[in-house]
Amino acid sequence: MEYTGAEIIIKTLIDEGVDTLFGYPGGAVIDIYNALYNYRDQIRHIRPSHEQGGAHAADGYSRSTGKTGVVLATSGPGATNLVTGIATAYMDSIPMVCITGNAASHLIGKDAFQEIDIFGATMSVTKHNFMITDIADLQDTIRRAFKIANSGRKGPVLIDVPKDFTQLKYPYEKKESLPIDGKHKIVQSDLEKFAEIINQAERPIIYAGGGINSSDSSQELRALMDKAMIPAVNTIMAIGVLGPLDQLNLGMVGMHGKNSSNYSIEHSDLVIALGTRFSDRVALNTKHFAPDAKIIQVDIDQSEIDKNVVVDFEIVGDLKEILAEILSLIEEKDRKDWLAQIEEFRKEDYQPPNGSDSIEPYKIIRHVAEYFGEDLIFVTDVGQHQMWTAQYCARTKPRTFLTSGGLGTMGFGFGASIGAKAGNPDKPVVLISGDGSFTMNMNELKTAVDHQINTITIILNNHALGMVRQWQNLLYDQRYSETDIDHSFDYVKLAEAFGAKGYSCATITEFKAAFADATTQNKPIIIEAIIDKDELVLPMIPAGGTVEDIIME
Amino acid sequence: MKQMRVLSILVENNAGTLTRVAGLFARRGYNIDTLTVSETKDPSFSRITLTASLNDLELNQLVSQTAKLEEVISIEELFETNSVMREILLVKVSVSDDCRSKLIEITDVYKGVVVDLSPDSMIIELTGKPQKIDAFIRVIDNYNIVNICRTGVTALQRGKGD
């Protein structure tokens, strides 16, 4: 039987298991929406206020569920509005399929109304992209997009569909989903050598990255840590993957990581890098990263080997498979001396000051984390609040901390929290944001209200673009150029205007009361917590620095 | 140490594939010195031959980044020892009566061909390894060269393969 291209798109998405679609209607996709009308009981469609929010929502859905996020936008501005969202997903290797409409194919290249070369524009921020030139390719291309998004190192894929291909008819015979590939053949001798290096090390440390999430290998990682008593640090992309908060789980490393994590890397004789890319926020100074250590690496992406830091030995392949196979080759150890040394490092960890009723960010974050427990999904925007949340969120499960790590996209959070809640309706989702980030995409509050997606948003309001201001404070002679946000903004009225519930608090007692009340409400929540403008994210190692340069106050 | 590398890249013959490869080089901060592209025996594939000046680490990084592109089938570095490399040169020289025959003599030595002869200029065509082209240009450097055009290297591995 013949279907329009629009119907083929929707049918293929359903057959790929898509049950949630983030999208925004427009002229070039009107036929796709017309087709969607017939399938609205099978696909939940969530319309953001702005396509960027839709892209972040699809991303947040994917990060929190492990499934592919799907976003649909019209041509021209609809498509370009996706770009920041796609780039955010690309930098953090998040599988997404993005479908854009475009002008009809006879108008392509003629500067038609709302025509844009989104194929060209997104080439460098997608794993791959397609432009449909034949309706016969439509189903195959969508299926290939899902395969590419999820094969090897994951990432976003875009399909641009000129309008006429949504209107033409073609037979639809359901095909199977394409198998995910990218499994590299693992050579036994490589595993043996890898294990031997680990067995010979006296002071090994695991440096775990977002690849542990992508490959779903958190349990395999923990088994390795426990068997050989290897302590581990994590990047911001790997918050939650190290499991229980114990002596082996050292927490976050890098610019705002724990002293003990950074010292442990510094003093180790072996760094075991798993699914991570030695970014400039961790290997702040690549020349002095782990100066006394051998470095070995496992990554699914060959191009991550020797990219930022040259390693001594590597295995390219799937982490889950490699960690599972290597376990039997790893010797049990107790590593008493090394762990004792790390306990000494821990004594030098930064402790936040404890004023009784003062409203420091860490108290807010700890309170929320303790209240909701391990299933809580924390989402952040970008800036100081992001780092405070990373430091104090105490996540012990994968996919419970969603943040824009690579691109550092302010405005990511609200859309992402909507996507996370849409994908996890039974789990609490709390966005910690800042006044700068929140106002970038606060229009998505409307989306949350419209779709009854009841997230809690806590705005740590320091009336400043805090992270830039912190750098100006510490590194630019307190010349606060354009980082003070002096306007008074009534977040309570704002929330009410959108149909959400708002609170404002200036002490921790007020915050706890507001939060307790918020948990009884059945609508999206905005809680403004007014914090000190001069609050710093500590510790801090300035860009390009080493542990010698740690700033503690 | 940076040295000139010849990379042979087999790609799907789709619109935009060259942009992806060239864009990757630009995005990662590397300059392409020469580039040739043509269909292979199977018209659904193209071969890109390019040269760039890279050290070993840069080479490995670029090769693995390029190999990741969905439309790239294979990428390999070619060496003089295992490959045939050729390049075509067209050079227009302004000549007067008294130097024309000397220039033709040099061209003959290099097995080049005069493909256009006008009263006050000539165009010489020369095919060969890049080093031979370089050498020829050095020799005629004293003449009044108006313009030079080189195709860049195209290359195939010797023996069976492919």
Side-chain angles (χ1 to χ4, degrees):
Chain A
M1 192 179 155
E2 292 205 325
Y3 295 91
T4 64
E7 285 173 296
I8 291 172
I9 290 171
I10 300 296
K11 286 174 83 65
T12 311
L13 291 179
I14 291 172
D15 289 343
E16 282 288 334
V18 175
D19 56 13
T20 307
L21 174 63
F22 303 90
Y24 205 102
V29 290
I30 193 167
D31 289 272
I32 300 177
Y33 276 90
N34 192 43
L36 183 66
Y37 200 68
N38 295 335
Y39 296 91
R40 60 191 187 279
D41 57 336
Q42 289 180 57
I43 288 195
R44 182 184 191 195
H45 181 270
I46 295 173
R47 189 190 64 222
S49 299
H50 182 285
E51 288 88 350
Q52 183 187 347
H56 291 322
D59 177 325
Y61 176 89
S62 176
R63 287 179 202 245
S64 60
T65 62
K67 296 194 272 186
T68 308
V70 184
V71 62
L72 169 65
T74 194
S75 62
T80 54
N81 282 346
L82 292 180
V83 173
T84 301
I86 298 172
T88 304
Y90 182 68
M91 287 291 277
D92 288 342
S93 309
I94 306 302
M96 263 170 62
V97 170
C98 315
I99 300 175
T100 51
N102 209 335
S105 47
H106 71 279
L107 291 171
I108 296 279
K110 307 279 198 283
D111 300 324
F113 178 64
Q114 291 191 331
E115 182 199 347
I116 201 77
D117 172 24
I118 199 65
F119 176 76
T122 57
M123 205 172 261
S124 61
V125 293
T126 50
K127 256 190 97 176
H128 190 59
N129 59 8
F130 297 95
M131 184 165 189
I132 298 295
T133 54
D134 185 346
I135 190 170
D137 297 338
L138 202 47
Q139 182 186 177
D140 290 345
T141 303
I142 296 170
R143 293 202 183 272
R144 223 179 129 191
F146 277 85
K147 175 193 169 96
I148 293 167
N150 289 287
S151 294
R153 180 175 182 169
K154 297 171 186 184
V157 178
L158 180 134
I159 307 168
D160 193 29
V161 190
K163 185 172 179 175
D164 45 326
F165 296 118
T166 67
Q167 295 170 327
L168 287 170
K169 289 194 164 184
Y170 195 75
Y172 181 79
E173 283 167 28
K174 181 182 167 179
K175 297 180 183 171
E176 291 300 308
S177 294
L178 296 168
I180 305 304
D181 61 23
K183 293 262 181 201
H184 295 248
K185 199 166 160 38
I186 310 297
V187 181
Q188 183 63 25
S189 59
D190 282 352
L191 290 174
E192 284 161 12
K193 177 153 186 210
F194 204 84
E196 190 192 326
I197 295 172
I198 293 174
N199 290 336
Q200 284 173 355
E202 287 180 4
R203 301 184 309 281
I205 187 151
I206 289 169
Y207 157 39
I212 302 286
N213 268 324
S214 310
S215 60
D216 185 29
S217 48
S218 154
Q219 287 181 7
E220 289 78 2
L221 169 61
R222 190 68 211 197
L224 171 67
M225 289 162 63
D226 288 339
K227 181 169 183 188
M229 295 302 276
I230 306 175
V233 300
N234 60 267
T235 68
I236 195 168
M237 292 306 297
I239 286 175
V241 307
L242 299 183
L245 303 168
D246 61 6
Q247 62 166 352
L248 295 179
N249 180 348
L250 304 189
M252 192 165 77
V253 67
M255 182 176 275
H256 295 295
K258 286 188 177 166
N259 289 1
S260 49
S261 296
N262 286 317
Y263 285 141
S264 299
I265 292 262
E266 183 85 0
H267 291 271
S268 67
D269 67 349
L270 175 67
V271 172
I272 307 161
L274 304 175
T276 190
R277 60 190 174 85
F278 301 87
S279 90
D280 57 306
R281 287 298 185 266
V282 172
L284 293 136
N285 183 331
T286 51
K287 290 200 179 74
H288 296 103
F289 182 76
D292 302 326
K294 266 193 172 181
I295 303 177
I296 57 178
Q297 183 178 10
V298 179
D299 205 282
I300 191 85
D301 181 356
Q302 171 78 47
S303 69
E304 284 305 336
I305 309 299
D306 293 342
K307 187 176 84 177
N308 294 328
V309 168
V310 176
V311 301
D312 297 286
F313 188 68
E314 78 275 352
I315 302 181
V316 174
D318 178 49
L319 263 172
K320 192 178 180 74
E321 195 183 337
I322 291 166
L323 290 179
E325 294 209 9
I326 215 163
L327 191 63
S328 63
L329 305 172
I330 299 288
E331 293 165 8
E332 286 185 36
K333 298 253 163 111
D334 60 17
R335 298 194 201 280
K336 275 194 187 131
D337 293 348
W338 177 220
L339 293 174
Q341 193 180 352
I342 289 174
E343 285 309 311
E344 290 301 309
F345 296 151
R346 280 190 154 164
K347 290 178 184 161
E348 290 173 48
D349 272 338
Y350 175 78
Q351 297 299 333
N354 186 15
S356 59
D357 201 31
S358 57
I359 188 165
E360 280 92 3
Y362 79 93
K363 290 183 189 164
I364 294 172
I365 295 157
R366 281 186 178 163
H367 181 71
V368 174
E370 281 165 21
Y371 179 84
F372 281 123
E374 62 176 17
D375 282 333
L376 165 66
I377 298 172
F378 264 121
V379 185
T380 80
D381 266 299
V382 168
Q384 284 186 312
H385 71 271
Q386 175 189 30
M387 293 301 132
W388 286 319
T389 312
Q391 289 173 331
Y392 300 111
C393 65
R395 297 297 83 199
T396 55
K397 282 185 167 182
R399 301 192 182 280
T400 57
F401 180 83
L402 318 183
T403 198
S404 169
L407 196 65
T409 308
M410 287 175 69
F412 165 80
F414 211 101
S417 65
I418 287 172
K421 186 71 179 171
N424 301 270
D426 301 330
K427 291 183 185 168
V429 174
V430 174
L431 165 64
I432 306 285
S433 189
D435 46 328
S437 287
F438 178 75
T439 46
M440 274 201 178
N441 279 341
M442 64 184 176
N443 50 4
E444 299 307 338
L445 184 51
K446 182 171 101 39
T447 315
V449 171
D450 285 352
H451 293 272
Q452 293 163 343
I453 295 173
N454 297 336
T455 57
I456 295 177
T457 298
I458 299 169
I459 299 160
L460 303 182
N461 185 1
N462 57 2
H463 295 95
L465 302 177
M467 187 56 95
V468 179
R469 195 173 184 281
Q470 171 165 342
W471 284 42
Q472 289 171 334
N473 180 356
L474 297 173
L475 310 168
Y476 287 83
D477 299 329
Q478 290 154 25
R479 290 159 56 88
Y480 298 125
S481 181
E482 295 297 326
T483 49
D484 286 325
I485 303 174
D486 290 325
H487 61 243
S488 58
F489 196 107
D490 191 330
Y491 286 94
V492 177
K493 281 188 184 156
L494 175 92
E496 281 165 9
F498 274 103
K501 172 83 176 159
Y503 304 85
S504 181
C505 35
T507 65
I508 195 69
T509 312
E510 281 175 27
F511 173 78
K512 286 179 180 170
F515 182 74
D517 190 67
T519 56
T520 66
Q521 303 287 328
N522 196 22
K523 48 171 72 172
I525 302 293
I526 300 292
I527 304 176
E528 176 197 28
I530 299 166
I531 62 166
D532 185 354
K533 190 175 245 181
D534 292 320
E535 194 79 54
L536 298 175
V537 180
L538 295 173
M540 174 181 180
I541 305 176
T546 70
V547 289
E548 306 292 315
D549 307 309
I550 290 177
I551 299 170
M552 291 284 277
E553 57 187 338
Chain B
M1 196 187 72
K2 279 188 196 282
Q3 61 185 89
M4 190 58 70
R5 316 282 183 158
V6 180
L7 296 173
S8 177
I9 310 170
L10 185 65
V11 299
E12 289 177 26
N13 187 4
N14 300 334
T17 309
L18 177 61
T19 314
R20 282 182 211 283
V21 174
L24 176 73
F25 273 66
R27 197 159 72 245
R28 300 276 170 190
Y30 304 112
N31 194 24
I32 296 174
D33 291 315
T34 74
L35 175 75
T36 67
V37 189
S38 61
E39 266 182 18
T40 62
K41 194 176 114 193
D42 177 348
S44 56
F45 299 104
S46 294
R47 182 172 301 285
I48 298 174
T49 309
L50 61 81
T51 60
S53 181
L54 304 165
N55 68 31
D56 286 345
L57 273 177
E58 291 169 339
L59 174 76
N60 289 340
Q61 180 59 207
L62 260 184
V63 167
S64 53
Q65 291 284 358
T66 307
K68 274 204 300 185
L69 293 175
E70 195 61 28
E71 289 163 318
V72 169
I73 312 295
S74 67
I75 171 167
E76 57 188 333
E77 186 182 7
L78 298 184
F79 302 94
E80 286 249 16
T81 46
N82 65 357
S83 314
V84 178
M85 298 183 189
R86 289 293 180 269
E87 184 176 5
I88 298 174
L89 165 78
L90 291 177
V91 55
K92 184 190 279 183
V93 191
S94 175
V95 283
S96 53
D97 288 342
D98 50 326
C99 68
R100 185 179 293 115
S101 57
K102 267 191 188 160
L103 198 52
I104 291 173
E105 211 174 285
I106 297 170
T107 302
D108 284 343
V109 170
Y110 278 85
K111 299 195 168 64
V113 184
V114 175
V115 288
D116 180 75
L117 192 59
S118 309
D120 53 3
S121 75
M122 60 196 270
I123 297 177
I124 302 163
E125 175 191 318
L126 180 66
T127 304
K129 292 182 196 173
Q131 298 88 321
K132 177 179 158 185
I133 308 275
D134 292 342
F136 177 71
I137 292 171
R138 274 197 302 275
V139 171
I140 64 164
D141 197 35
N142 293 335
Y143 294 87
N144 196 357
I145 296 176
V146 179
N147 221 330
I148 282 181
C149 204
R150 297 171 72 154
T151 57
V153 178
T154 192
L156 273 183
Q157 233 167 16
R158 292 177 198 277
K160 279 186 187 167
D162 263 353

